[in-house]
Amino acid sequence: MLSDLQLNSILEDFDIAYWKINLFSKEISWSEHFNFLVGKPEIEEDRFEFFINHILHPDYRYDFRIHFEKLIKEDEPFSFEIKLRLDNGKYRWFECKNQKSKTEREFKETAVLLFVNIHQNKRDQYTIEENFFYYRETAEMTSTGGWYVDTVNKNIYWDDVSKKIIDCPRDFQPAYEDRMQFYAEEHHNRMRNAFDKCENFGIPFKLELKMVSFQNREFWVRLTGKPVYNNEQTVIGIRGVLQNIDENKSNELNLQNALDIIATQNSRLFNFAHIVSHHLRSHSSNLSLIVELLRESKTDRDKLDLLANVEDVAGNLDSAISRLNDIVSIQTSLRKEKVTIRFEEALEIVLASISSLINRENAKIVAEFQDLKEIRYIPEYLESILLNLITNAIRYRQPGRKPVIFIQTYVENDKEYLEVSDNGMGIDLDEYGDKMFGMYKTFHQSNPEAKGIGLFITKNQVEALGGAISVSSTIDIGTTFKIKF
C-alpha cells in the first residue's frame, strides 16, 4: 500500500488534491496539495461549511450539498465540475469525484473525494464553444455561409447558413454535376472560368453574381473561393464563403440608376438652358436691331417694311417659345400615372391625326404587335413617340420611292422594345451620329419642313421614363429607331 506521502507526491504531479471523509463521524481531512491550493486557511468553523462558504463558487453550493449528503448516507458515487477559489483569489475549474477502496478495511468506512484540475481544458473548451458561437452568430447576422468543393471526388458541401441562403432543406446534398443550376444563366461562364482557374492554377476569386434559389428566385451574392492543397501542393478542393448581398446590391444598382438619371437630366437641363439662351437672344437681338432701324428710318415706307420684319420675328419667337413649352411639358407629364395601352389603339389615334400627310405621300404603314400587344406607359408619350418617328420617316422619304414604314414590338431578355423602320433617305451616322437627338439639329438641307425638334422631344420622353433610344441607318437604304422601354 502506498503511504500518504507517496500518494500525495504522485497526485501533486498531476495537480490532483483530495479529501478523506469518515462516513460515520463525517470528519474531513484535506490533502497537503488541497491545503496548498486554497492557502492553508485558518478554519474556525466546520471544515465542510468553510469549504462551502469560502472556497466553493456560490453557483455550485446547493448541488454539492446534495451530492455530499447522498455520498455520506447512501454511499452514492458522483462526479461533476465545480469552481474553487484558490489562494490567489481566482476561481479555477476542477472535476470533483469520489472514490472508495474495497480492499482495505480502513477504507470501508472512508470515502475519498478527488479534485482534478481541469481549468485549462475547460478554458479551451469554452474558447472553442465561444468562437463557434461567434462564428455562427456572425454568419447568421451577415448572411454568410461556408462551402467546400472536393475536386478529386467531385462532391459539394454547404454549411447550414449556405443552405439557408439558397432556401434548400438542411438535409439537401447538392450534386456536383448540377452545380451550375444554382447560378443565373448569364453568369455561368464567369462561374466556370473562376472555378477552372482556381482548380487548375490555384488562382483565388472574389465575384459578385446572381444565384438561383430552390424556388427559382434570383438574388445577388458575393462569392469568395480559395484553393485547398495536399502535401504534394496539388489542388484537391476549393473552399470559400458566400454572402447574400441582394438588398445591398439592389440598393447599389438603384442608386447608380438614379445617379445616371440625374446626370442625364442635368445634361439635358444644361443643354436646354443653352438652347433657350441662344435662341431667345437671337430673336431678341433681331427685335432690338429692327427697333434701332425704325428710329433711324427717314420715310414711312422704310418703317412699314421694317414692321413687316417685326411680324416675322414675332412669329418665329412665338413658334420657338411654343416648342420650348412642349419640352417643358414632358417633365410635367411625368406626374401622370402609367396605364395599360394597346399599341394598335395608340397607332390608330396617330394615323388618324396625320391621315392627310399619309394620303398625300401615298405612304404605307405596316404594323406587327403580336409579340407585345400592350404596355404600361403614359398615353400622350407613346402617341407622341409614334407621331414623331412616323412623320420623320415620311418627311425624309427617298425621292421616287414609295415610303414604307414598318412598326413592330417584341420582348427580348425580359425587356420590351419598339422598332420603327423606313426605306427613306437614311442618315450619315459617321457625320451626324453624335448630333442625332440634339435640339434644332437637321441632317437634310433639302427638306424645308425639318425643324430639328421631334427627335429631341422623343429622346427626352423615352429617357424620362427610364428607357433608351438608339438608331441604325444606311444612306439611301433607310433608318431604324429602336426604343427600349
Side-chain angles (χ1 to χ4, degrees):
M1 173 183 171
L2 290 174
S3 67
D4 285 352
L5 184 60
Q6 290 173 316
L7 180 62
N8 271 321
S9 177
I10 293 172
L11 294 179
E12 284 177 19
D13 290 340
F14 293 95
D15 202 9
I16 299 173
Y18 67 89
W19 288 2
K20 281 185 178 180
I21 308 163
N22 188 305
L23 297 177
F24 298 108
S25 66
K26 299 183 182 180
E27 183 181 349
I28 300 172
S29 61
W30 295 347
S31 68
E32 285 297 319
H33 191 53
F34 190 89
N35 277 321
F36 169 78
L37 291 175
V38 299
K40 295 184 179 180
E42 295 182 3
I43 303 173
E44 298 178 356
E45 56 188 303
D46 178 85
R47 190 178 292 266
F48 177 80
E49 291 300 326
F50 182 87
F51 170 80
I52 292 291
N53 297 325
H54 302 288
I55 298 176
L56 183 63
H57 192 283
D59 290 349
Y60 306 96
R61 289 172 183 174
Y62 177 81
D63 289 337
F64 189 86
R65 284 185 183 275
I66 298 298
H67 286 306
F68 191 79
E69 287 296 322
K70 287 186 177 181
L71 173 65
I72 298 298
K73 295 178 180 179
E74 304 173 17
D75 199 18
E76 182 178 316
F78 70 90
S79 174
F80 75 114
E81 296 172 353
I82 58 175
K83 281 184 178 180
L84 301 184
R85 187 175 185 272
L86 304 188
D87 186 38
N88 59 10
K90 296 181 179 179
Y91 283 96
R92 293 289 183 267
W93 281 100
F94 287 83
E95 181 185 6
C96 179
K97 55 185 178 180
N98 75 291
Q99 180 176 332
K100 280 202 336 172
S101 171
K102 297 182 180 180
T103 56
E104 298 294 334
R105 180 176 180 180
E106 176 189 357
F107 284 91
K108 289 181 181 180
E109 300 176 355
T110 306
V112 175
L113 272 184
L114 296 180
F115 295 87
V116 183
N117 190 336
I118 60 169
H119 187 75
Q120 186 61 44
N121 291 339
K122 195 70 175 178
R123 187 170 63 180
D124 291 345
Q125 176 187 343
Y126 268 14
T127 301
I128 293 172
E129 291 177 353
E130 186 178 64
N131 288 342
F132 181 73
F133 169 80
Y134 285 127
Y135 158 76
R136 185 174 63 248
E137 289 298 305
T138 302
E140 288 283 353
M141 288 188 293
T142 60
S143 292
T144 304
W147 55 268
Y148 177 72
V149 176
D150 182 344
T151 57
V152 177
N153 299 308
K154 307 302 181 186
N155 291 319
I156 297 177
Y157 304 96
W158 293 339
D159 68 5
D160 288 344
V161 180
S162 293
K163 292 178 179 179
K164 183 177 179 181
I165 291 173
I166 302 173
D167 290 335
C168 68
R170 295 184 68 177
D171 59 354
F172 174 75
Q173 178 58 44
Y176 184 85
E177 58 273 13
D178 297 332
R179 63 192 183 281
M180 281 300 154
Q181 76 179 36
F182 297 103
Y183 299 94
E185 187 173 352
E186 63 265 30
H187 293 149
H188 281 186
N189 287 337
R190 291 182 65 200
M191 200 65 251
R192 287 195 188 95
N193 291 338
F195 268 85
D196 288 346
K197 287 191 293 185
C198 191
E199 180 179 355
N200 297 324
F201 306 106
I203 299 175
F205 59 84
K206 182 180 292 185
L207 305 172
E208 290 186 1
L209 42 73
K210 283 183 181 180
M211 292 193 73
V212 181
S213 73
F214 252 46
Q215 287 70 38
N216 290 321
R217 176 182 61 86
E218 291 189 351
F219 60 98
W220 283 93
V221 300
R222 180 177 293 114
L223 193 72
T224 303
K226 295 181 179 179
V228 177
Y229 296 92
N230 61 12
N231 293 333
E232 287 74 36
Q233 294 303 300
T234 300
V235 176
I236 59 172
I238 302 173
R239 178 182 291 113
V241 296
L242 68 90
Q243 182 182 15
N244 187 338
I245 60 169
D246 193 56
E247 183 177 352
N248 291 339
K249 189 68 176 182
S250 297
N251 291 339
E252 177 187 329
L253 293 175
N254 290 336
L255 178 60
Q256 186 59 51
N257 289 337
L259 291 175
D260 291 342
I261 291 172
I262 291 171
T264 302
Q265 290 177 339
N266 284 343
S267 176
R268 289 204 303 267
L269 181 62
F270 178 80
N271 188 38
F272 180 74
H274 174 76
I275 290 166
V276 171
S277 173
H278 175 75
H279 286 83
L280 293 186
R281 185 183 300 114
S282 174
H283 293 300
S284 64
S285 297
N286 286 337
L287 284 174
S288 297
L289 178 60
I290 292 172
V291 170
E292 186 65 28
L293 291 174
L294 280 171
R295 289 198 186 111
E296 297 175 357
S297 296
K298 304 297 183 182
T299 66
D300 292 340
R301 169 66 62 183
D302 291 339
K303 291 181 179 180
L304 287 174
D305 290 341
L306 288 172
L307 285 175
N309 291 335
V310 171
E311 184 178 355
D312 291 338
V313 172
N316 291 335
L317 179 59
D318 181 69
S319 177
I321 292 174
S322 177
R323 287 193 291 268
L324 293 173
N325 184 65
D326 290 339
I327 298 170
V328 173
S329 68
I330 292 175
Q331 301 303 320
T332 305
S333 298
L334 282 176
R335 299 171 187 167
K336 297 183 179 180
E337 291 187 5
K338 294 181 181 180
V339 298
T340 300
I341 316 167
R342 291 181 61 83
F343 283 101
E344 186 176 354
E345 294 175 358
L347 180 60
E348 287 178 359
I349 294 172
V350 171
L351 296 183
S353 69
I354 57 172
S355 58
S356 59
L357 175 63
I358 294 173
N359 293 331
R360 188 185 73 191
E361 303 300 336
N362 195 25
K364 182 179 180 181
I365 312 295
V366 180
E368 288 187 3
F369 301 133
Q370 289 87 349
D371 295 337
L372 178 63
K373 296 182 179 181
E374 59 187 25
I375 190 175
R376 288 191 62 78
Y377 216 65
I378 296 176
E380 293 86 350
Y381 273 27
L382 183 58
E383 293 167 13
S384 174
I385 291 167
L386 288 170
L387 177 66
N388 282 324
L389 295 181
I390 292 172
T391 53
N392 260 13
I394 295 176
R395 289 193 181 108
Y396 295 107
R397 61 198 176 278
Q398 180 72 10
R401 183 186 301 164
K402 177 182 177 179
V404 177
I405 301 161
F406 183 77
I407 305 169
Q408 66 172 334
T409 55
Y410 58 92
V411 178
E412 185 176 275
N413 295 329
D414 296 328
K415 299 294 184 181
E416 297 168 319
Y417 290 90
L418 164 70
E419 282 190 7
V420 178
S421 305
D422 64 55
N423 63 343
M425 300 171 65
I427 304 168
D428 187 349
L429 296 181
D430 292 334
E431 182 175 354
Y432 300 114
D434 58 339
K435 304 173 183 177
M436 274 297 303
F437 301 100
M439 193 172 180
Y440 298 129
K441 300 297 182 182
T442 59
F443 314 106
H444 296 285
Q445 303 303 322
S446 60
N447 192 331
E449 297 179 4
K451 302 298 182 183
I453 193 72
L455 290 180
F456 179 82
I457 291 178
T458 297
K459 178 178 173 66
N460 274 264
Q461 289 170 327
V462 171
E463 292 182 349
L465 292 180
I469 183 170
S470 59
V471 60
S472 59
S473 186
T474 304
I475 296 177
D476 297 333
I477 299 297
T479 302
T480 295
F481 287 93
K482 182 177 181 179
I483 294 172
K484 179 176 72 173
F485 290 105

